[in-house]
Each structure stands twice: as C-alpha cells, then as structure tokens.
Amino acid sequence: MLNGNPANALHYLTRGAGLLVRPGLKRFVLVPLLVNLVLFVVATIALIHVYRDLLTQLVEWMPEWLAFVAWILWLLFAFLLLVVYGYTFNIITNLVAAPFYGILAEKIEQELTGKEPKPESLSALIPRTLARELTKLWYFVSRGFLVLLVLVVLWFIPVVNLASALISVLWAAWCMSVQYIDYPADNHQLEFREMRRRLNTESLTSYTFGGLVMAGSMIPLVNIFMMPIAVAGATIYWVEELSIKELSTKKT
C-alpha cells in the first residue's frame, strides 16, 4: 500500500527555500554554495565537452540515409547526459560538502524545534559524516548495479522495455530522497537501514521529494541552489513526519 502525499514534498521544499534566507541561517549556506559553484563550473565544462564529442562521433558514424533522425538523437543524448550530469553533480558535491550540510540540517532543526542539539566537535563530526557519505555511496553503487542489470534484461523484451524508463526515474528519485533525508537522520545517529525503512513508510512523499530534487539538479544554475534547499526541505520532512515514527515505534 502506498502512503504519503506528493503535495507534501513540494511544500517541504518551498518552505525549505524560505528558511534559508533567514538571517540566522544564511551563513551556514554560504560554504555549501561556494562548493557547489566551483563544482558547477567544472561539471558544466566537462558536460559540454563530452556532449560535443559524443555528438560528433554519432554524426560521423550515422549513415547518410539516417541523417533525418539526427535531431531526435540529439534530444535523446541531451536528456541522458543531463540525467547523468545531475546525478553525478549531486554525488560529488554531497561527498565534498557533507559536513557543511550536516551542520545546516542541524541548525534548521534547531530553528524549527527550538531545541539545542547535542554538542559535537568538528573533529568528530567531519569523519562521521564522511563515513556516512561513503556508506550511502556504496548503497547507491551496489543497488544501482542491480537496477542496471534489470534494465538491461528489460531492454530486450518488447513492450515491457518501456518500463525501463519508469524504473530509472524511480531509482533516481529514491536515491535523492535517501541522500538528503539522511542529513537530519544522521545528526540523530539513526541507523542507515532504519532511515530507509522510515522513508519507505511514506513512499509517495519520499519519491516525489526525490524526483523534484533530481529535476532541479538537472538544470544548470538551478542545481547550485537546489542542494541547500533540499537539505532544508528534508529537515522539515524529518521533523514533521519521519522523526515522529520513532515515538510511534516505541509505543507499539
């Protein structure tokens, strides 16, 4: 049974964007934005070169009688590269800026609840958050490989292969949801498996949240601001829905 509300996901992201401009929180957004800006320049330049080279090779390889479909392939390559671009940009940026996003999530939760978090030194925070990012990266790579195998098998089955696009989108959305909800969850040192279980109990909200983040990450310039907004939105989602599940679990 599917639970959750897709409208909640959009609500959390828009509220998160509003929180980031508050005077007490803006300074915690500055460093992640600078990291995003540097990586954006590098990733975008790489994207342009890769796209240009691939398109040139495709045109040279294509027989003349298929030249009329070149524009269709141009659009297809553009879309696929944007998906890869958005996904890669997210993974690299989050790996580099993980400690800063953890702090940002902590300060946003404090703003929402009025509760002071347990003190933690940077010498303890940085290695813990980086270790958690590597745990997530392994999860994405290992599960992603299995998803890829399923997609390859489906590709050779007529009609059924149309489902491969849907599976790709759902997997990308789930990854984005896991990526950002984990920041507030990790601040409470919630086990990674338990965090994923809670996300799955509100599947419609979680998949929509991740899908919106993924869509924003695919758009150059927008992706610079999308990640701090995603952290803020995910923290609201955690405070208002997912953290409450710990209480309900203890009562049963």
Side-chain angles (χ1 to χ4, degrees), residues 78-97:
F79 176 74
L80 291 176
L81 280 177
L82 281 176
V83 172
V84 173
Y85 167 74
Y87 196 77
T88 305
F89 185 77
N90 259 282
I91 290 176
I92 296 175
T93 304
N94 284 308
L95 189 61
V96 174

Side-chain angles (χ1 to χ4, degrees), residues 51-66:
Y51 178 70
R52 184 185 60 194
D53 293 342
L54 284 176
L55 191 60
T56 300
Q57 293 177 19
L58 179 65
V59 171
E60 291 176 352
W61 167 83
M62 187 183 303
E64 291 186 7
W65 61 274
L66 281 178

Side-chain angles (χ1 to χ4, degrees), residues 7 86 100 115 136 171 182 214 218 220 230:
F100 304 106
K115 297 179 181 178
K136 282 189 285 188
W171 170 244
D182 192 56
M214 186 65 200
M218 291 167 59

Side-chain angles (χ1 to χ4, degrees), residues 7-29:
N8 288 348
L10 179 60
H11 180 60
Y12 294 144
L13 286 171
T14 53
R15 283 177 59 194
L19 279 176
L20 293 180
V21 298
R22 292 189 180 181
L25 293 174
K26 283 191 291 187
R27 64 180 181 272
F28 298 106
V29 183

